[in-house]
Amino acid sequence: MKVVTLLSLSWLLPIVAISAAASPGMFSTASGVMVKTEIATDARCYDGSTPVLYFEPGTTTASQKWVLYVMGAAACWGEQDCLNIESMTHRISSRPWPAQITSMQFFRSERFKNHNKIVLVYCSQDWFLGNTTRIINGTQRFFQGEKTFQDFVSAFRAQFQRADEVVLTGSSSGSVALLNHLPEILRGTDVSNFVLLLDSPLFSH
């Protein structure tokens, strides 16, 4: 496996427009179309909606190459923290995300032209590591990112196991998720076919 850890993708890859505070608008500069798909899981986003991903196939239907981008943003550390984040609905819910988005420029590069492309939307505010619920300001909130990520991996395990290449990349909490779930992702695969590209996986609070 090849591993690259970056403080910021922007200084190395000028074509990449990746923001830790991801929102639907961040994908609006590319021409490829990615389709919203619900993840087969009983886990929930922070607000109770169903976690989602976006998918765009490679230019060749039989492509065995994959690139995954795991979105990142902050996590909420306490009730007031969570209440402050609730105004940014795209960070706590799958509902504001449209049925289709245009692909990131990162995905449009020649390097990934024939890769199947996935964007995993972050909506749990727990670095994809939570497995609990809490009552916040009288409302039940879900911190179930761990199960969301595990069920996502289970859904794509067969594809990753027979892949010629899998590029795993994420920013902020998305990188934290990849580091923590990497053994599960790699189980039963040829590790030499994986590339891990991490943007800002280490930070203090």
Side-chain angles (χ1 to χ4, degrees), residues 24-48:
M26 69 176 278
F27 298 95
S28 61
T29 60
S31 58
V33 174
M34 306 193 76
V35 177
K36 182 179 181 180
T37 303
E38 290 188 348
I39 297 171
T41 181
D42 56 6
R44 291 293 174 260
C45 295
Y46 175 94
D47 73 333

Tab-separated table of all heavy atoms in Angstrom, residues 24-48:
chain	number	residue	atom	x	y	z
A	24	PRO	N	-22.989	20.951	-0.768
A	24	PRO	CA	-23.338	20.596	-2.138
A	24	PRO	C	-22.671	21.475	-3.185
A	24	PRO	O	-22.309	21.013	-4.257
A	24	PRO	CB	-24.858	20.741	-2.155
A	24	PRO	CG	-25.264	20.466	-0.749
A	24	PRO	CD	-24.174	21.065	0.106
A	25	GLY	N	-22.465	22.747	-2.893
A	25	GLY	CA	-21.900	23.658	-3.861
A	25	GLY	C	-20.453	23.385	-4.217
A	25	GLY	O	-19.968	23.828	-5.244
A	26	MET	N	-19.749	22.616	-3.367
A	26	MET	CA	-18.330	22.393	-3.625
A	26	MET	C	-18.098	21.539	-4.859
A	26	MET	O	-16.994	21.456	-5.367
A	26	MET	CB	-17.652	21.741	-2.411
A	26	MET	CG	-18.061	20.318	-2.145
A	26	MET	SD	-17.153	19.538	-0.790
A	26	MET	CE	-15.648	19.035	-1.610
A	27	PHE	N	-19.135	20.885	-5.381
A	27	PHE	CA	-18.982	20.000	-6.537
A	27	PHE	C	-19.437	20.652	-7.837
A	27	PHE	O	-19.509	20.002	-8.853
A	27	PHE	CB	-19.795	18.720	-6.315
A	27	PHE	CG	-19.341	17.930	-5.132
A	27	PHE	CD1	-19.944	18.090	-3.907
A	27	PHE	CD2	-18.297	17.034	-5.239
A	27	PHE	CE1	-19.524	17.364	-2.810
A	27	PHE	CE2	-17.873	16.295	-4.143
A	27	PHE	CZ	-18.487	16.470	-2.923
A	28	SER	N	-19.728	21.927	-7.830
A	28	SER	CA	-20.448	22.528	-8.945
A	28	SER	C	-19.565	22.916	-10.126
A	28	SER	O	-20.068	23.467	-11.087
A	28	SER	CB	-21.192	23.776	-8.453
A	28	SER	OG	-20.270	24.720	-7.949
A	29	THR	N	-18.272	22.627	-10.081
A	29	THR	CA	-17.390	23.100	-11.153
A	29	THR	C	-17.054	22.038	-12.184
A	29	THR	O	-16.348	22.306	-13.139
A	29	THR	CB	-16.080	23.625	-10.558
A	29	THR	OG1	-15.446	22.562	-9.836
A	29	THR	CG2	-16.325	24.801	-9.647
A	30	ALA	N	-17.533	20.803	-12.015
A	30	ALA	CA	-17.130	19.725	-12.911
A	30	ALA	C	-18.279	19.275	-13.793
A	30	ALA	O	-19.438	19.595	-13.564
A	30	ALA	CB	-16.595	18.550	-12.100
A	31	SER	N	-17.941	18.502	-14.831
A	31	SER	CA	-18.959	18.106	-15.803
A	31	SER	C	-19.525	16.717	-15.564
A	31	SER	O	-20.607	16.402	-16.014
A	31	SER	CB	-18.369	18.170	-17.216
A	31	SER	OG	-17.239	17.331	-17.304
A	32	GLY	N	-18.760	15.813	-14.885
A	32	GLY	CA	-19.257	14.476	-14.606
A	32	GLY	C	-20.419	14.506	-13.629
A	32	GLY	O	-20.482	15.361	-12.749
A	33	VAL	N	-21.315	13.556	-13.769
A	33	VAL	CA	-22.502	13.517	-12.909
A	33	VAL	C	-22.380	12.367	-11.923
A	33	VAL	O	-22.097	11.231	-12.300
A	33	VAL	CB	-23.788	13.349	-13.742
A	33	VAL	CG1	-25.002	13.171	-12.842
A	33	VAL	CG2	-23.975	14.553	-14.648
A	34	MET	N	-22.595	12.658	-10.659
A	34	MET	CA	-22.612	11.648	-9.615
A	34	MET	C	-24.029	11.541	-9.073
A	34	MET	O	-24.696	12.549	-8.847
A	34	MET	CB	-21.636	12.000	-8.489
A	34	MET	CG	-20.215	12.263	-8.965
A	34	MET	SD	-19.021	12.307	-7.602
A	34	MET	CE	-18.853	10.557	-7.247
A	35	VAL	N	-24.482	10.316	-8.851
A	35	VAL	CA	-25.871	10.060	-8.464
A	35	VAL	C	-25.941	9.697	-6.981
A	35	VAL	O	-25.168	8.874	-6.488
A	35	VAL	CB	-26.474	8.923	-9.316
A	35	VAL	CG1	-27.897	8.606	-8.873
A	35	VAL	CG2	-26.450	9.320	-10.789
A	36	LYS	N	-26.883	10.323	-6.295
A	36	LYS	CA	-27.095	10.084	-4.868
A	36	LYS	C	-27.722	8.708	-4.645
A	36	LYS	O	-28.681	8.332	-5.308
A	36	LYS	CB	-28.009	11.176	-4.313
A	36	LYS	CG	-28.301	11.105	-2.819
A	36	LYS	CD	-29.206	12.278	-2.426
A	36	LYS	CE	-29.536	12.302	-0.966
A	36	LYS	NZ	-30.428	13.455	-0.622
A	37	THR	N	-27.169	7.965	-3.690
A	37	THR	CA	-27.661	6.625	-3.385
A	37	THR	C	-27.667	6.428	-1.872
A	37	THR	O	-26.680	6.739	-1.201
A	37	THR	CB	-26.756	5.545	-4.017
A	37	THR	OG1	-26.684	5.767	-5.426
A	37	THR	CG2	-27.307	4.149	-3.756
A	38	GLU	N	-28.759	5.923	-1.330
A	38	GLU	CA	-28.816	5.640	0.097
A	38	GLU	C	-27.949	4.423	0.418
A	38	GLU	O	-27.899	3.463	-0.346
A	38	GLU	CB	-30.250	5.380	0.550
A	38	GLU	CG	-31.124	6.622	0.543
A	38	GLU	CD	-32.487	6.383	1.185
A	38	GLU	OE1	-32.831	5.195	1.436
A	38	GLU	OE2	-33.199	7.367	1.438
A	39	ILE	N	-27.269	4.471	1.550
A	39	ILE	CA	-26.469	3.341	2.007
A	39	ILE	C	-27.396	2.340	2.690
A	39	ILE	O	-28.290	2.711	3.452
A	39	ILE	CB	-25.370	3.822	2.970
A	39	ILE	CG1	-24.416	4.767	2.236
A	39	ILE	CG2	-24.606	2.637	3.566
A	39	ILE	CD1	-23.421	5.461	3.140
A	40	ALA	N	-27.190	1.067	2.410
A	40	ALA	CA	-28.013	0.016	3.016
A	40	ALA	C	-27.586	-0.174	4.470
A	40	ALA	O	-26.697	-0.967	4.785
A	40	ALA	CB	-27.879	-1.280	2.239
A	41	THR	N	-28.190	0.573	5.364
A	41	THR	CA	-27.824	0.552	6.773
A	41	THR	C	-29.008	0.999	7.616
A	41	THR	O	-29.870	1.743	7.140
A	41	THR	CB	-26.624	1.480	7.042
A	41	THR	OG1	-26.279	1.428	8.431
A	41	THR	CG2	-26.950	2.922	6.655
A	42	ASP	N	-29.042	0.546	8.867
A	42	ASP	CA	-30.042	1.080	9.792
A	42	ASP	C	-29.442	2.184	10.660
A	42	ASP	O	-30.096	2.707	11.556
A	42	ASP	CB	-30.657	-0.022	10.655
A	42	ASP	CG	-29.622	-0.815	11.443
A	42	ASP	OD1	-28.433	-0.438	11.415
A	42	ASP	OD2	-30.012	-1.809	12.088
A	43	ALA	N	-28.192	2.554	10.387
A	43	ALA	CA	-27.586	3.713	11.034
A	43	ALA	C	-28.230	4.982	10.478
A	43	ALA	O	-28.817	4.974	9.393
A	43	ALA	CB	-26.078	3.726	10.807
A	44	ARG	N	-28.084	6.064	11.196
A	44	ARG	CA	-28.716	7.315	10.805
A	44	ARG	C	-27.738	8.476	10.881
A	44	ARG	O	-26.773	8.456	11.645
A	44	ARG	CB	-29.925	7.614	11.712
A	44	ARG	CG	-31.096	6.658	11.488
A	44	ARG	CD	-31.693	6.872	10.109
A	44	ARG	NE	-32.734	5.913	9.756
A	44	ARG	CZ	-32.565	4.854	8.997
A	44	ARG	NH1	-31.356	4.572	8.506
A	44	ARG	NH2	-33.567	4.049	8.705
A	45	CYS	N	-28.009	9.496	10.063
A	45	CYS	CA	-27.310	10.763	10.200
A	45	CYS	C	-27.720	11.409	11.522
A	45	CYS	O	-28.674	10.980	12.179
A	45	CYS	CB	-27.677	11.699	9.053
A	45	CYS	SG	-27.147	11.164	7.411
A	46	TYR	N	-27.032	12.438	11.884
A	46	TYR	CA	-27.296	13.172	13.127
A	46	TYR	C	-28.780	13.493	13.318
A	46	TYR	O	-29.331	13.360	14.397
A	46	TYR	CB	-26.455	14.452	13.113
A	46	TYR	CG	-26.674	15.406	14.251
A	46	TYR	CD1	-25.873	15.350	15.392
A	46	TYR	CD2	-27.644	16.413	14.173
A	46	TYR	CE1	-26.057	16.256	16.432
A	46	TYR	CE2	-27.826	17.318	15.205
A	46	TYR	CZ	-27.032	17.235	16.332
A	46	TYR	OH	-27.221	18.138	17.364
A	47	ASP	N	-29.455	13.890	12.220
A	47	ASP	CA	-30.856	14.312	12.321
A	47	ASP	C	-31.847	13.171	12.120
A	47	ASP	O	-33.063	13.389	12.122
A	47	ASP	CB	-31.154	15.417	11.316
A	47	ASP	CG	-31.217	14.916	9.882
A	47	ASP	OD1	-30.564	13.894	9.576
A	47	ASP	OD2	-31.914	15.534	9.068
A	48	GLY	N	-31.365	11.944	11.911
A	48	GLY	CA	-32.248	10.804	11.710
A	48	GLY	C	-32.462	10.412	10.269
A	48	GLY	O	-33.123	9.407	9.987
